[in-house]
Amino acid sequence: MKLIQLLTLTTMLCAPLTQAQSAQQEVLGEHYYQTNQIQSSLTESGDNYTFLVVGDWGRNGHFAQRSVAKWMDIAAYQFDAEMIISTGDNFYDNGIASVNDPYWQTSYENIYHGPHLFIDWYVVLGNHDYRGNWQAQIDYSAVSRRWNMPAQYFDKLISLEEGGSVHLVFLDTSPLNPDYQHEAKYQETQRQDSKAQLAWFEQTLKRHKNADWTIVIGHHPLYSSGKRYGKTSAVRGVIEPLLEQYEVDAYIAGHEHDLQHNKPAGSSVEHFVSGGGSEIRPVGQREFTAFAKSSAGFALVRVNQQQFTLEFIDDKGEVIYQYALDKNRESAQ
């Protein structure tokens, strides 16, 4: 019996590390970051406020989640990112059970383990998050130093180094989406007070209307060149009027598993989708499409008082799209 136990212990000690364990023990040094770089042609400014945007990622490292995480870490190092924003659907398919759910380790902590990903994450809820214990994602803010979700919706005002400000508004779009009113699996979203959120949204936009840049983040896109093309009018009718009324500069969403930039006619709002955190889906070229690609990846956003720039970086570290918007509303691709 003792011999069997000894052999069992020896086998366990000699067994190869799992992928997650290997990732945790990997040590990244200066040579790694000097030999893995992202080639960006946009001019770098020392007064930029920089952040990354990723969405629809929570799949235990499957599909492209690990490779996207790798290049997010490199981008955060190379461009000195201050924060990471998640556009929701943080845990597939049915959210999480509690702050102690093992999914926190297998799909978040062990995946986004690069040293430059330990900056503040600001997170919104997606529809799949509502199929679990959504409150636990708020509560995890008290467990993790980097995870920030103080409420279902919130905002953050950022003062820029060279003057000016950026107002970030984080919405909980599932309760605002009329399409969920008759879907049983999303009934929890309809128990939220959508009128209270809309009133807060307008008051927040009004209070900071003098910010140099206003960027709104939500899970559901208002325009889509992907799977949900032609199916976003309901949620658009709720959110878009306030974006237009208060001259919001950009709306960044997820939900669609791809990377998009949509420019609807007659609108001054730039519409982006950063939902390529893991699994991807096909996209098309629509009447409002400025860019759409069925690609895993994330967005790199840099803002100063005069310019907003966004680049999509894929899961191979390639810049596949770049867009610059000057404060005088002149844009260049």
Side-chain angles (χ1 to χ4, degrees):
M1 184 66 180
K2 291 183 178 179
L3 179 60
I4 294 174
Q5 290 176 331
L6 179 60
L7 289 172
T8 302
L9 178 61
T10 302
T11 301
M12 292 173 62
L13 291 173
C14 295
L17 293 172
T18 66
Q19 192 173 15
Q21 289 170 328
S22 296
Q24 285 182 301
Q25 294 191 12
E26 183 181 8
V27 177
L28 304 180
E30 194 65 28
H31 177 74
Y32 172 84
Y33 292 103
Q34 294 303 321
T35 55
N36 291 276
Q37 294 196 354
I38 296 164
Q39 302 302 317
S40 171
S41 62
L42 291 179
T43 303
E44 179 63 30
S45 171
D47 60 349
N48 282 334
Y49 188 92
T50 302
F51 58 90
L52 312 181
V53 186
V54 66
D56 303 82
W57 44 265
R59 293 187 180 275
N60 269 337
H62 295 298
F63 300 96
Q65 190 184 1
R66 288 184 184 278
S67 53
V68 171
K70 167 189 171 178
W71 287 102
M72 286 173 59
D73 176 59
I74 292 167
Y77 165 82
Q78 185 175 336
F79 301 105
D80 197 20
E82 301 278 354
M83 69 163 69
I84 297 167
I85 291 174
S86 171
T87 58
D89 276 3
N90 309 311
F91 299 96
Y92 287 97
D93 272 335
N94 298 308
I96 53 168
S98 70
V99 294
N100 299 312
D101 193 316
Y103 220 170
W104 283 108
Q105 300 302 315
T106 59
S107 200
Y108 179 60
E109 302 290 358
N110 292 346
I111 304 298
Y112 304 100
H113 62 85
H116 303 287
L117 298 180
F118 281 81
I119 53 181
D120 288 342
W121 287 58
Y122 287 87
V123 188
V124 299
L125 294 167
N127 52 299
H128 282 271
D129 300 310
Y130 265 102
R131 288 159 64 168
N133 183 350
W134 57 267
Q135 180 63 44
Q137 294 198 40
I138 296 175
D139 295 343
Y140 197 68
S141 302
V143 176
S144 167
R145 169 59 185 84
R146 60 174 170 166
W147 184 272
N148 290 273
M149 190 190 295
Q152 289 163 280
Y153 48 90
F154 56 97
D155 72 321
K156 181 177 179 63
L157 186 66
I158 298 164
S159 297
L160 299 172
E161 286 188 9
E162 302 299 321
S165 60
V166 179
H167 186 210
L168 299 175
V169 184
F170 299 84
L171 293 181
D172 183 12
T173 58
S174 293
L176 303 179
N177 191 346
D179 289 337
Y180 291 159
Q181 290 179 1
H182 306 293
E183 288 198 44
K185 61 185 175 182
Y186 296 128
Q187 282 307 296
E188 180 62 26
T189 70
Q190 300 306 301
R191 296 189 180 95
Q192 315 307 316
D193 191 340
S194 60
K195 291 183 179 179
Q197 181 177 180
L198 284 173
W200 170 89
F201 184 32
E202 181 167 15
Q203 291 166 6
T204 300
L205 292 175
K206 187 182 298 184
R207 184 168 63 251
H208 297 295
K209 64 182 180 180
N210 292 326
D212 292 273
W213 298 97
T214 300
I215 303 170
V216 177
I217 297 96
H219 181 62
H220 293 84
L222 308 189
Y223 295 87
S224 175
S225 298
K227 174 184 176 181
R228 295 176 176 86
Y229 169 69
K231 300 178 180 178
T232 62
S233 59
V235 68
R236 181 168 71 242
V238 175
I239 297 174
E240 187 175 45
L242 289 173
L243 301 184
E244 297 288 349
Q245 179 181 349
Y246 290 95
E247 300 180 331
V248 168
D249 297 290
Y251 177 77
I252 308 178
H255 199 44
E256 296 285 60
H257 299 177
D258 48 50
L259 304 171
Q260 303 179 31
H261 178 199
N262 297 308
K263 292 178 68 68
S267 174
S268 62
V269 182
E270 307 287 345
H271 289 263
F272 299 96
V273 173
S274 183
S278 55
E279 182 190 29
I280 59 173
R281 296 183 183 136
V283 295
Q285 294 298 308
R286 315 301 184 181
E287 64 273 17
F288 45 67
T289 306
F291 172 83
K293 188 172 182 180
S294 178
S295 174
F298 59 97
L300 167 68
V301 179
R302 290 177 275 184
V303 187
N304 58 44
Q305 192 171 14
Q306 297 301 321
Q307 191 175 69
F308 164 98
T309 67
L310 181 144
E311 296 170 271
F312 284 129
I313 300 168
D314 69 12
D315 59 325
K316 299 177 182 61
E318 299 292 331
V319 176
I320 58 175
Y321 181 72
Q322 55 187 28
Y323 182 79
L325 179 66
D326 291 333
K327 197 55 196 170
N328 61 10
R329 310 310 294 175
E330 293 181 359
S331 62
Q333 295 183 18

